[in-house]
């Protein structure tokens, strides 16, 4: 890793051997790498998704690795099955490395005004919460963070986040959904999971995003009330072929 660059470490934590590979983190990382290659994220070096827990690196070893890094940016994605573990991990990482910046997103992060701010207040180790789709939001918030100091002064205009600014918790403007999904690279086809994809029994796959309904019990319905956007068919076919070649036992379809 280039010591002149601030490390960005996406960390997928799980206690379950049946854990799904973390497509959401892979999507974010693949987009960050694309932006970095285009010169839009100078000063950062983005790692591949690190799997820690039953099937990956021992969790304590992951903590020790992060402890050695200079001001790492750690990305976490929270779902119902790993949210508690993520919050425990965030506290432990911050305890071991006070210079770390913790960014968390995913369906378990409350999106409504007041609730998002309360979430940050109740979880002091978290520096930024991403609300909704994370790919473009993460790229913009990294660009807004001062690489040298980690200061959050440049985050006020970043849409779709809630963040700490000193003692205050601030909310950015609402973010529009990504309209052209194929601007987001496939983490499977980009090789983001190659190091450990065969160590897990099930993969997650998206063929589209969005839902025209508004069911309040559903992550998709309560978040969109908009038309469905689709990934290119050849991309989806390529991802299925990739998973077949890596002997994936099951595919979990994440469409609404």
């Amino acid at each position: 890793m280039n010591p002149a660059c601030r490390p960005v470490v996406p960390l997928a934590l799980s206690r379950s051997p049946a854990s799904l590979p973390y497509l959401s983190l892979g999507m974010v990382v693949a987009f960050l790498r694309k932006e970095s290659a285009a010169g839009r994220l100078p000063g950062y070096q983005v790692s591949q998704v690190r799997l820690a827990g039953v099937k990956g690196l021992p969790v304590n070893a992951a903590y020790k690795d992060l402890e050695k890094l200079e001001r790492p940016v750690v990305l976490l994605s929270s779902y119902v099955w790993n949210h508690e573990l993520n919050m425990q991990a965030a506290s432990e990482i911050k305890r071991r490395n006070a210079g770390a910046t913790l960014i968390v997103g995913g369906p378990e992060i409350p999106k409504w005004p007041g609730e998002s701010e309360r979430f940050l207040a109740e979880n002091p180790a978290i520096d930024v919460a991403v609300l909704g789709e994370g790919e473009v939001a993460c790229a913009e918030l990294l660009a807004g963070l001062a690489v040298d100091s980690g200061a959050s002064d440049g985050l006020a205009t970043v849409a779709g986040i809630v963040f700490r600014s000193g003692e205050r918790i601030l909310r950015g403007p609402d973010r529009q959904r990504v309209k052209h999904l194929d601007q987001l690279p496939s983490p499977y086809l980009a090789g983001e999971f190659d190091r450990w994809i065969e160590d897990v029994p099930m993969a997650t796959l998206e063929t589209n995003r969005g839902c025209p309904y508004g069911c309040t019990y559903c992550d998709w319905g309560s978040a969109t009330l908009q038309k469905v956007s689709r990934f290119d068919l050849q991309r989806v076919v390529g991802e299925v072929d990739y998973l077949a070649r890596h002997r994936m036992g099951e595919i979990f379809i994440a469409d609404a």
Side-chain angles (χ1 to χ4, degrees), residues 90-248:
S91 296
E92 182 65 14
I93 292 167
K94 203 75 159 185
R95 185 185 72 80
R96 293 176 179 234
N97 190 336
T101 296
L102 276 291
I103 299 172
V104 64
E108 288 302 300
I109 309 307
K111 301 174 180 63
W112 309 117
E115 293 182 4
S116 310
E117 290 82 351
R118 190 177 308 116
F119 166 76
L120 239 62
E122 293 172 353
N123 294 278
I126 302 299
D127 296 291
V128 184
V130 178
L131 316 176
E133 291 175 307
E135 295 91 355
V136 180
C138 276
E140 292 182 1
L141 75 86
L142 286 181
L145 280 174
V147 174
D148 292 336
S149 67
S152 59
D153 299 349
L155 297 184
T157 60
V158 178
I161 66 170
V162 174
F163 64 98
R164 298 184 190 280
S165 179
E167 297 298 317
R168 299 181 299 164
I169 295 175
L170 303 178
R171 185 184 190 93
D174 292 340
R175 175 171 293 278
Q176 298 299 310
R177 287 178 54 215
V178 176
K179 292 183 178 179
H180 303 292
L181 294 181
D182 290 312
Q183 70 176 285
L184 308 177
S186 164
Y188 293 121
L189 303 182
E192 297 296 342
F193 301 140
D194 281 359
R195 288 185 300 174
W196 49 265
I197 188 70
E198 293 181 3
D199 292 335
V200 293
M202 183 186 296
T204 308
L205 187 68
E206 280 186 309
T207 75
N208 63 62
R209 289 184 182 179
C211 181
Y213 304 108
C215 306
T216 56
Y217 56 81
C218 172
D219 289 321
W220 266 124
S222 62
T224 62
L225 281 172
Q226 296 182 33
K227 292 182 178 179
V228 173
S229 300
R230 293 178 173 83
F231 288 97
D232 180 78
L233 179 59
Q234 291 307 308
R235 169 201 175 111
V236 176
V237 170
E239 290 179 323
V240 172
D241 181 65
Y242 171 93
L243 295 173
R245 284 187 283 106
H246 286 79
R247 301 183 180 183
M248 189 56 55

